[in-house]
Amino acid sequence: MLVGLSINAIDNPDTEFRRVGGKLFNKETKFILRIALLSNFKWIARKLGLKLIPSDITKFFMGVVKDTVNYRLENNIQRNDVLDTLMKIRDETQENEGKLTIGEIGAQCFVFFIGGFETSSSTGTFVLYNLVKYPEVQEKLRNEIRTILARHDNKITYEAMQEMKYLQMVVDETLRMYPPVFQALRQAARDYKVEKDNFIIPKDILVSIPIYAIHHDPEYYPEPDKFDPDRFNDENKAQRHPMAFLPFGHGPRNCIGFRFGLMQTKIALIQLLLNFRVYASEKTPDPIKFDPDATPLTSITDMWLKFEKL
Ligand code: HEM
């Protein structure tokens, strides 16, 4: 559901939303190059008329948001969702308080859409990849899921998922190895002295926090290419620097959708593992080669896996 629309991309894979989301991240759009140019050479990029989001995507998305806002206003519809909240904020603020424009409402909806579009499905895919390579982990995880669900009337509830500690460890270790968002950006609000290295980050400079590199630093994760969910048991987690694990960023601008993202990834994995055993096929990449033009982190080849019905 986005802005209160029923999209249903599973039964209808040709839906415009899926096409638009796919287009934003595909090679032709050069999204990563656009981000690099607009963040590092803003002035030149603006002079060249470069936009972060291609115009046809903006046009489609703004059209959907405007139509939905108007429809709700005309028909007095309330759905208690993100769009309702944004409309309420707009109504309750005065012009001089920075009233939200329809463009800003559309931008907020859009960032929710792209933030949740590839990240959760990539995480699920990388988890399955790890489970194929480590079948003993797959069995252990399936046993945990079955045992806990049996205690919960075989219903996948929030409470049942909270009990699935091993599932969380498997997902965390996968997010460590394959963080879909592999860097976070920050702009220095003032000159900042890094005491340890006697180094100043000047005001306004853009800083890239290399999430992928931190997650593969042997100082924090010995044998970083090895998949080992036990790195995320309570004891091991407590011993590590808290900033050594940043799949959702950190601080006031961290991922706003991280609980939702984790939840939908876990629901998909639980359903799949209850119903299928997953294997490698001769086409499964090993190791995964990343697409240098893609964001989020993506395998350059398709991810082929075999599913056997249980
Ligand atoms: C496993 C899934 C996900 C991962 C790994 C992920 C990762 C991230 C990361 C690393 C950031 C940047 C944080 C920072 O700079 O400190 C981010 C930002 C964001 N994410 Fe996610 N995300 C996921 C799912 C979602 C979902 C499902 C949504 C929305 C429903 C979402 C919406 C956003 C938004 C709106 C931002 C920008 C927040 C801001 O700038 O204040 N994400 N995400």
Side-chain angles (χ1 to χ4, degrees):
M1 284 279 196
L2 178 89
V3 297
L5 301 169
S6 189
I7 297 168
N8 197 3
I10 290 187
D11 290 335
N12 176 16
D14 296 328
T15 167
E16 193 62 3
F17 278 93
R18 188 159 176 263
R19 194 194 63 78
V20 163
K23 185 177 172 196
L24 183 62
F25 294 120
N26 75 12
K27 273 195 181 346
E28 288 71 50
T29 308
K30 302 214 178 315
F31 191 52
I32 208 158
L33 188 66
R34 286 171 193 255
I35 296 178
L37 285 173
L38 277 157
S39 5
N40 295 301
F41 308 102
K42 208 176 270 175
W43 183 80
I44 301 174
R46 290 273 180 238
K47 276 267 171 236
L48 292 172
L50 186 73
K51 291 180 178 154
L52 183 61
I53 314 294
S55 304
D56 59 326
I57 297 184
T58 308
K59 198 169 154 214
F60 164 74
F61 213 86
M62 279 312 299
V64 171
V65 172
K66 275 184 194 157
D67 289 351
T68 315
V69 167
N70 290 338
Y71 186 78
R72 288 192 189 185
L73 289 175
E74 279 160 22
N75 298 284
N76 203 12
I77 291 171
Q78 201 175 329
R79 309 211 27 163
N80 298 326
D81 58 6
V82 174
L83 187 62
D84 268 1
T85 310
L86 292 167
M87 288 166 68
K88 206 162 152 234
I89 294 172
R90 180 173 73 160
D91 293 345
E92 286 171 359
T93 19
Q94 306 302 317
E95 295 296 341
N96 61 358
E97 290 174 327
K99 203 176 185 62
L100 279 184
T101 63
I102 185 74
E104 285 163 343
I105 292 183
Q108 293 298 327
C109 294
F110 185 69
V111 90
F112 259 76
F113 174 60
I114 56 165
F117 184 79
E118 268 301 319
T119 45
S120 305
S121 57
S122 300
T123 306
T125 307
F126 287 130
V127 169
L128 290 177
Y129 178 73
N130 276 334
L131 295 181
V132 155
K133 289 184 70 183
Y134 295 79
E136 67 291 355
V137 175
Q138 183 176 156
E139 284 315 309
K140 186 170 167 186
L141 180 54
R142 186 175 292 106
N143 283 340
E144 175 186 74
I145 293 171
R146 282 184 177 149
T147 314
I148 291 175
L149 286 187
R151 289 206 297 267
H152 287 265
D153 212 9
N154 284 319
K155 292 205 171 78
I156 306 176
T157 58
Y158 178 77
E159 288 72 22
M161 279 198 284
Q162 293 302 99
E163 283 181 39
M164 295 179 188
K165 301 281 181 222
Y166 195 60
L167 175 60
Q168 183 67 53
M169 285 159 60
V170 167
V171 172
D172 281 349
E173 171 67 344
T174 303
L175 284 168
R176 176 194 71 80
M177 292 176 78
Y178 305 109
V181 183
F182 42 81
Q183 68 162 351
L185 293 174
R186 292 293 183 273
Q187 191 163 27
R190 55 180 166 81
D191 283 358
Y192 179 81
K193 185 158 185 221
V194 185
E195 294 293 345
K196 191 170 145 259
D197 297 318
N198 195 21
F199 169 76
I200 291 182
I201 300 173
K203 180 175 180 303
D204 292 336
I205 210 85
L206 205 62
V207 181
S208 162
I209 292 105
I211 299 176
Y212 182 93
I214 294 171
H215 286 188
H216 288 78
D217 186 336
E219 186 184 332
Y220 305 113
Y221 302 101
E223 293 185 79
D225 294 331
K226 192 174 155 202
F227 173 63
D228 178 9
D230 283 337
R231 297 184 208 263
F232 286 90
N233 65 26
D234 289 343
E235 197 189 340
N236 289 337
K237 256 188 349 194
Q239 278 168 18
R240 234 179 351 251
H241 193 292
M243 292 306 113
F245 185 57
L246 294 168
F248 297 102
H250 196 75
R253 294 300 295 269
N254 74 345
C255 175
I256 200 168
F258 89 93
R259 287 184 196 82
F260 182 60
L262 280 176
M263 182 108 66
Q264 58 182 356
T265 304
K266 286 183 188 175
I267 293 173
L269 287 169
I270 293 170
Q271 289 283 17
L272 281 170
L273 292 171
L274 283 175
N275 290 293
F276 299 94
R277 184 162 284 119
V278 197
Y279 296 100
S281 84
E282 49 300 336
K283 292 203 240 168
T284 308
D286 187 17
I288 297 179
K289 280 208 187 92
F290 299 123
D291 184 343
D293 294 330
T295 182
L297 196 69
T298 310
S299 165
I300 201 155
T301 59
D302 285 340
M303 179 62 72
W304 290 88
L305 304 171
K306 267 191 196 156
F307 288 76
E308 179 195 79
K309 186 95 183 83
L310 288 169

